[in-house]
Amino acid sequence: MSDYFRPLVQQGAARPKDAVPLGGGELWFTHAEHLSRDGAIEVVPVAGIPAPWLERLTGARDAIAGLDMARPHLMGILNVTPDSFSDGGRHYGVADAVQAALAMVEQGVSLLDIGGESTRPGAIEVPVDEEIRRIEPVIEAIRAETGTAISIDTRKAAVAEAALAAGASLVNDVSGFTFDAGLAPLCADTGTPVCIMHAQGDPATMQQDPHYDNVLLDVYDFLSAQVDRLAAAGLARGQIVIDPGIGFGKTQVHNLTLLRNLSLFHGIGCPILLGVSRKRFIGTIGKEPLAQARAPGSISVGLAGLAQGVQILRVHDVAETAQALRLWAAVR
């Protein structure tokens, strides 16, 4: 692909006559940046956007796991691991995990994202049996208490299969379905919604020397190609979520470039998930070394993402983010 169109997103009830909706939601645009691999950028009106691009940018998104994608949602992070970067060990036991999950539901999450393998920089792979041992009883116990949608954060087909049998309703793969060839067929056969994330390298090595020709367009091309590949494998395009993978094989400059230009990814035609919660670049820029104290910076970046039409925010600090989201919606 040589041409790309990033909508210049706006909000408000008073729309110009030529305004079109962003992803079928309340945000809209009248112009877009026309980008290309040669570095040229020009602003073009809606009338100058090719029809296939405009259709993907404006079309309403299908519901995912029963959730209306015309409004933003919070995905609560629940790591049942001993070594995750921010909350490792806090929810390692089933009782603690269920208590934390129910608290997040009460605070306003639409999705619970449960992971049994840390994907922090430098993390090593967890054996399949151990990952299943961690997540299966937790999902079963949570499902017995609440009907809230559950996402399984895994790269592995066997883990996803166990999680789906236990009550999960979405598969969130940080490898973008490149790690286990069996995962895409499983999701296609079961009709399970998925989230494709971009990452350069695996967790053990991804932050050693990340580099790109053009991080924005490289990430876009990967996600677009993976959506096409999964659709060809039998997954419904309307049941695919995309995630640019902030912090996964990316420097601070890479992260900021992606965050400034998030609206480009609407051109793939799928809902966008943004995961920035407590990440290292927030601590660096915000001058906060403790991951658990990065809620203000995480919320700031998350709201900036919502202003570009992101549909799902993946967060640790649910109560604080939910409060901010309510105020953001009221002011908007």
Side-chain angles (χ1 to χ4, degrees):
M1 182 178 295
S2 58
D3 293 291
Y4 306 79
F5 295 86
R6 186 181 79 84
L8 302 177
V9 184
Q10 301 188 59
Q11 60 185 22
R15 303 186 183 191
K17 291 182 179 180
D18 57 346
V20 292
L22 180 69
E26 295 182 356
L27 301 177
W28 49 270
F29 62 101
T30 59
H31 290 74
E33 286 183 345
H34 177 198
L35 312 175
S36 64
R37 286 254 173 206
D38 64 11
I41 303 176
E42 64 173 333
V43 175
V44 298
V46 165
I49 301 174
W53 267 93
L54 191 60
E55 182 179 351
R56 292 191 298 268
L57 288 169
T58 61
R61 308 310 187 218
D62 292 346
I64 299 287
L67 305 179
D68 180 6
M69 290 293 110
R71 69 174 185 87
H73 295 274
L74 298 183
M75 171 188 273
I77 299 169
L78 187 64
N79 292 314
V80 289
T81 61
D83 59 345
S84 291
F85 84 96
S86 174
D87 56 357
R90 288 190 60 200
H91 311 131
Y92 196 37
V94 174
D96 290 338
V98 173
Q99 183 179 11
L102 295 179
M104 287 192 282
V105 171
E106 181 68 22
Q107 291 163 356
V109 299
S110 302
L111 274 163
L112 293 162
D113 193 41
I114 298 172
E117 178 182 58
S118 175
T119 51
R120 61 179 171 75
I124 60 174
E125 182 180 342
V126 173
V128 168
D129 289 348
E130 173 61 16
E131 193 174 341
I132 292 174
R133 185 193 68 78
R134 293 176 182 181
I135 60 95
E136 190 173 44
V138 171
I139 294 174
E140 289 176 345
I142 293 171
R143 179 51 69 233
E145 297 289 339
T146 177
T148 300
I150 295 174
S151 165
I152 177 62
D153 179 0
T154 188
R155 303 177 288 170
K156 302 162 189 169
V159 177
E161 186 173 21
L164 294 174
S169 46
L170 183 145
V171 172
N172 179 19
D173 181 2
V174 299
S175 81
F177 286 76
T178 63
F179 183 82
D180 186 338
L183 187 54
L186 169 69
C187 294
D189 291 345
T190 56
T192 302
V194 303
C195 180
I196 303 172
M197 196 194 80
H198 174 275
Q200 187 179 94
D202 59 30
T205 61
M206 65 187 179
Q207 289 304 111
Q208 291 179 5
D209 184 29
H211 59 278
Y212 300 85
D213 292 332
N214 180 314
V215 65
L216 179 63
L217 304 187
D218 290 355
V219 172
Y220 181 98
D221 285 351
F222 169 84
L223 292 173
S224 180
Q226 287 301 93
V227 169
D228 289 344
R229 184 176 75 82
L230 293 188
L235 278 86
R237 291 184 71 96
Q239 295 302 295
I240 301 174
V241 179
I242 56 174
D243 177 354
I246 302 299
F248 281 78
K250 297 167 183 83
T251 65
Q252 180 172 299
V253 170
H254 294 149
N255 290 330
L256 293 175
T257 299
L258 292 167
L259 290 168
R260 293 186 188 108
N261 295 280
L262 282 172
S263 63
L264 174 74
F265 295 98
H266 292 289
I268 297 174
C270 299
I272 300 170
L273 183 150
L274 181 64
V276 296
S277 185
R278 299 183 180 180
K279 291 193 172 176
R280 182 177 300 173
F281 81 98
I282 291 176
T284 300
I285 297 172
K287 299 182 179 180
E288 177 49 73
L290 297 178
Q292 297 87 337
R294 295 174 188 164
S298 302
I299 291 169
S300 176
V301 178
L303 293 182
L306 294 181
Q308 292 198 58
V310 165
Q311 286 92 350
I312 303 171
L313 291 181
R314 185 176 182 272
V315 303
H316 294 89
D317 303 292
V318 174
E320 296 87 342
T321 309
Q323 181 185 116
L325 180 56
R326 288 191 290 270
L327 270 294
W328 178 82
V331 171
R332 186 170 65 107

